[in-house]
Amino acid sequence: MSYNKRKNKNKIPDGPIPAHRLKATSKVMAIVFVLLASRIGWIQFVQGAELKEKASRQQTLNKIISPQRGSIRDVNGKYLAVSAQVDTITINPSSFIVKNNDPSEAKKKTLDNQQKIAKALSDIFTLNYEETLAKVQSEKKTEVIAKQVDKELVDKLKSWQEENEITTGINIDPDTKRYYPYNNLASHVLGFTGTDAQGLYGIESSWDDTLRGTSRKNCYNSKCKWKSNIR
């Protein structure tokens, strides 16, 4: 008898839900709705412009393509200053971030990947490892690793990329390097250029606008193909 009483006491009564429960549930749902609407409004109207700008920067990639610097010859046509084809190595740090459903695992794999890439780049181009790692872990869209790199080192980098199956994040961009076939001959007249191929002294400086030519800016984003703009 007592068992049946306990059973009946625990049984959920049939019938309509009390009005006070409906009111309480409605209030909770109304509060949640207001909070969600406020959050959406904040993102759309207050942070909208900032978030749109950030998305645009992430989707757009700009590159400056420098022309080969003009040669300098004497009255007999002998080359006194020439430019040879080399390369500039840049990286996109965000490409080295490993995504995983487990945040701790993703963080560990990302660090391992960044250290591996920094070690390879510092070894190939004889750079300081800590400084290279800082660039690999940078939040910038693009970091310059080495300028005016000869073909031999570029080939080493390409071989390492193939062996480690790294196809994105490391860029090899065309560049030029200045050479003087007669070394220091008439150097006080010819002058010299800086690492950015800009004339700093002598003829290289006074005729810099003519010798350096016109750079081209290439822009790419997810909505269009490469576009070139003359500077």
Side-chain angles (χ1 to χ4, degrees):
M1 186 70 178
S2 60
Y3 172 77
N4 292 332
K5 284 183 178 180
R6 286 198 302 270
K7 185 176 180 182
N8 292 334
K9 188 179 291 186
N10 294 330
K11 184 178 179 181
I12 299 174
D14 296 330
I17 299 175
H20 68 277
R21 289 189 180 181
L22 288 175
K23 289 181 179 179
T25 303
S26 299
K27 286 181 180 180
V28 171
M29 292 181 66
I31 293 172
V32 172
F33 177 79
V34 170
L35 291 175
L36 287 174
S38 300
R39 180 59 179 166
I40 293 173
W42 175 266
I43 293 174
Q44 183 172 356
F45 299 109
V46 179
Q47 294 183 308
E50 180 183 352
L51 294 175
K52 185 177 180 180
E53 177 64 21
K54 286 184 178 179
S56 178
R57 287 199 301 266
Q58 291 176 351
Q59 295 171 3
T60 303
L61 178 63
N62 294 313
K63 287 186 179 181
I64 302 297
I65 308 299
S66 301
Q68 183 166 308
R69 190 173 179 83
S71 302
I72 299 176
R73 292 184 287 183
D74 65 10
V75 293
N76 297 316
K78 292 182 179 181
Y79 286 96
L80 303 178
V82 295
S83 292
Q85 183 69 49
V86 288
D87 293 290
T88 290
I89 310 302
T90 63
I91 59 171
N92 306 118
S94 61
S95 299
F96 308 136
I97 297 175
V98 178
K99 296 181 180 180
N100 193 298
N101 292 331
D102 183 351
S104 59
E105 184 68 17
K107 186 177 181 179
K108 181 180 181 301
K109 288 185 176 180
T110 294
L111 180 59
D112 291 342
N113 193 40
Q114 291 171 335
Q115 291 176 335
K116 174 182 176 181
I117 292 170
K119 181 68 167 57
L121 293 174
S122 60
D123 287 347
I124 293 172
F125 302 113
T126 318
L127 302 171
N128 179 277
Y129 170 75
E130 296 298 334
E131 293 178 359
T132 305
L133 179 60
K135 289 184 177 182
V136 172
Q137 295 177 329
S138 170
E139 294 183 356
K140 293 182 179 179
K141 186 169 55 179
T142 305
E143 286 280 5
V144 176
I145 296 299
K147 290 184 177 182
Q148 299 184 347
V149 179
D150 293 326
K151 184 177 183 299
E152 180 182 355
L153 295 180
V154 172
D155 289 341
K156 283 186 179 181
L157 175 61
K158 289 180 178 179
S159 297
W160 180 83
Q161 286 183 271
E162 290 179 3
E163 292 173 3
N164 292 272
E165 298 182 349
I166 295 178
T167 58
T168 59
I170 300 177
N171 314 305
I172 302 174
D173 302 317
D175 200 353
T176 58
K177 186 175 182 178
R178 202 66 164 167
Y179 290 98
Y180 300 93
Y182 297 97
N183 298 319
N184 295 330
L185 178 65
S187 59
H188 61 289
V189 176
L190 291 174
F192 53 88
T193 62
T195 55
D196 58 354
Q198 181 180 2
L200 300 179
Y201 183 78
I203 294 175
E204 293 279 25
S205 176
S206 58
W207 287 84
D208 185 61
D209 288 342
T210 301
L211 290 170
R212 69 179 176 177
T214 304
S215 298
R216 187 180 67 206
K217 184 177 182 180
N218 277 5
C219 171
Y220 179 80
N221 60 45
S222 58
K223 297 180 180 179
C224 64
K225 297 181 179 179
W226 281 103
K227 293 182 178 179
S228 299
N229 299 311
I230 302 299
R231 185 182 63 183

